[in-house]
Amino acid sequence: MLSEELFSSVCGPPIAANTAISKDVGIYAHTVAPTWAVKSSFKKSSAPVHCLALSDSHVYAAQDQKAHVHVYSRARGNQEALVPFQERIRCLALAGDVLVLGTAEGRLILWETCTGRQITTPPCHVQAVSCIVASPHHVLSASDDSNVNVWSLPRLLEPGQDIGHEPDRTLSNHRAAITDLVLGPGSNPETNLCASASKDKTCILWNYQTGQVLRTLLFPASPLCISLDPCARALFASSEDGSLYLVELFGDKPLLGPRSTELASIVVQINSPLGVADADAGPASCMAVSYDGASIVTGHVKGKVLRWNLIDNSHPTELANLNASVTNLAFAPVLSENKLSRTAAVVKPNQSQRQYTLTTQLEGHLNHDTRFHQMLNTNGFSAETIAQAVASFAGSASSS
């Protein structure tokens, strides 16, 4: 059985005078399966919502009402660096070795953690950037001004060019501040899916590369946090009244795709929640879906972490009480990405520097893959293998 590791963060003062919970701990690393336990903890952090990001080696946490980002080493379990910036950080996301930060002034700051290179855009939002998501090719920033900007990541990182400092497009169908933003796993331009939740009580599904509205969902109360199924088959939303909703996107009545019987402009009313959290837990401020999509973990403003089992649809079970508002939940990847290099240390950003040094550690074998290894990683038989087989048959027939 694969071991799941869940990271959580808290922000704000302790809710009760509980001496069993340390006041200095701001980030927890929990083992979810096979048993729930605290694996490690990181001190002196107060990360608000959307201010926690994970890499294979580090944890990045922006601090509440400050222009600081704390960098923690996952291997050593301590704080490695305190990185100051010029503006207060409201949210952040990690795209490979690039940490993308949204500021209270509506700017984006990109920090290459392996070289220290820093890129700052002009104010791209009228109000503060509330949440950011990133893919290998795109960055999406949402704001309290109700807009979502779609950026090309390669253009933002292009050296010596300011052309990338303007978003590719703006998604502007919401009428109130955006509370959460999630990105689908697909990379095909026809199936690029993202979902945005807003205080206008709606959640909109977009094709963010074309700017097309795929579906608008209307909830009884404002959705505070949302998440997509690992295969983007369903949308989970938790509202300010403590209700958790499950919206099937490709069920008996598909909401997306060619089998959908209604036009994309028709708003779908969502009324029946999957469940409602107890009043002593309060509304959920963050959520995370397990890697198999069988359970959901929600973090609540009154310090509780609840798990919802989707298999039997039972009442949520309490996993922990962290005695402070739970602001972020993130599952660490079960299978680490196969990288050919690993950054040795995090380099603090330097905006004035023009030459950068990259120090990295090469991983694995440096030799080229063998022909047998290439055949194992090819779907079916490659064209080269078929051509060689046909040539060998032709040669054996002529010789006989």
Side-chain angles (χ1 to χ4, degrees):
M1 183 178 182
L2 294 177
S3 177
E4 294 180 274
E5 188 176 1
L6 176 70
F7 282 79
S8 64
S9 69
V10 296
C11 182
I15 297 175
N18 190 341
T19 58
I21 302 176
S22 176
K23 297 181 181 180
D24 293 337
V25 176
I27 301 174
Y28 297 86
H30 310 272
T31 301
V32 181
T35 57
W36 175 269
V38 176
K39 182 179 179 181
S40 60
S41 60
F42 304 92
K43 296 183 177 181
K44 296 181 180 180
S45 177
S46 181
V49 179
H50 303 136
C51 286
L52 186 72
L54 304 177
S55 70
D56 292 338
S57 56
H58 292 87
V59 178
Y60 302 89
Q63 300 305 296
D64 187 27
Q65 300 296 321
K66 294 182 180 180
H68 296 159
V69 172
H70 290 184
V71 182
Y72 299 91
S73 172
R74 292 179 58 181
R76 293 188 295 271
N78 62 347
Q79 182 175 337
E80 185 174 303
L82 188 151
V83 183
F85 291 92
Q86 293 78 20
E87 300 176 13
R88 286 187 293 122
I89 307 301
R90 281 287 305 273
C91 54
L92 55 81
L94 196 62
D97 290 328
V98 178
L99 188 69
V100 187
L101 306 104
T103 72
E105 303 297 326
R107 303 177 190 270
L108 291 187
I109 299 176
L110 286 85
W111 166 32
E112 287 186 349
T113 59
C114 55
T115 64
R117 180 184 173 212
Q118 178 181 329
I119 300 167
T120 304
T121 69
C124 52
H125 290 282
V126 179
Q127 298 184 43
V129 182
S130 58
C131 42
I132 290 177
V133 290
S135 72
H137 308 290
H138 292 88
V139 172
L140 278 69
S141 61
S143 170
D144 292 339
D145 63 8
S146 75
N147 292 332
V148 178
N149 287 341
V150 182
W151 306 78
S152 171
L153 185 58
R155 286 180 58 202
L156 283 171
L157 297 175
E158 187 175 354
Q161 298 290 332
D162 292 337
I163 189 174
H165 292 174
E166 291 292 333
D168 292 354
R169 63 188 48 83
T170 299
L171 313 178
S172 57
N173 280 43
H174 284 295
R175 296 296 178 264
I178 295 177
T179 57
D180 204 356
L181 186 67
V182 293
L183 204 62
S187 59
N188 190 302
E190 298 298 327
T191 58
N192 278 302
L193 177 67
C194 78
S196 56
S198 171
K199 290 184 179 179
D200 60 8
K201 299 183 181 181
T202 65
C203 180
I204 300 180
L205 301 169
W206 313 79
N207 183 326
Y208 61 87
Q209 283 211 38
T210 63
Q212 178 186 2
V213 176
L214 303 178
R215 184 64 64 187
T216 301
L217 308 175
L218 180 61
F219 295 90
S222 300
L224 298 181
C225 53
I226 57 175
S227 186
L228 282 170
D229 179 86
C231 297
R233 300 168 300 179
L235 176 75
F236 305 99
S238 182
S239 60
E240 60 184 0
D241 61 356
S243 300
L244 179 67
Y245 295 88
L246 167 61
V247 182
E248 291 281 352
L249 303 181
F250 304 97
D252 296 334
K253 295 181 179 180
L255 301 179
L256 305 179
R259 294 179 55 198
S260 176
T261 57
E262 297 178 339
L263 297 176
S265 59
I266 296 179
V267 178
V268 177
Q269 179 75 44
I270 308 298
N271 292 318
S272 301
L274 183 69
V276 180
D278 295 333
D280 60 349
S285 56
C286 54
M287 70 165 57
V289 183
S290 62
Y291 74 95
D292 57 356
S295 62
I296 305 172
V297 181
T298 55
H300 296 258
V301 296
K302 295 186 179 180
K304 292 189 177 182
V305 179
L306 304 181
R307 176 162 57 187
W308 309 70
N309 193 343
L310 300 179
I311 298 177
D312 55 8
N313 195 18
S314 59
H315 191 73
T317 58
E318 181 179 332
L319 295 178
N321 189 345
L322 304 182
N323 200 33
S325 178
V326 183
T327 52
N328 293 278
L329 292 173
F331 277 101
V334 179
L335 300 176
S336 60
E337 186 179 353
N338 187 18
K339 294 183 178 180
L340 298 180
S341 62
R342 182 172 63 88
T343 303
V346 171
V347 181
K348 290 187 176 182
N350 190 336
Q351 196 170 9
S352 61
Q353 190 173 348
R354 292 293 178 265
Q355 294 183 350
Y356 303 93
T357 302
L358 173 63
T359 303
T360 187
Q361 177 180 347
L362 300 179
E363 300 284 343
H365 299 286
L366 301 182
N367 299 328
H368 294 289
D369 292 339
T370 63
R371 180 169 172 265
F372 177 74
H373 188 269
Q374 293 177 354
M375 292 175 65
L376 285 179
N377 291 303
T378 303
N379 294 328
F381 295 99
S382 64
E384 180 184 1
T385 303
I386 295 176
Q388 291 178 353
V390 171
S392 64
F393 280 122
S396 61
S398 60
S399 62
S400 61

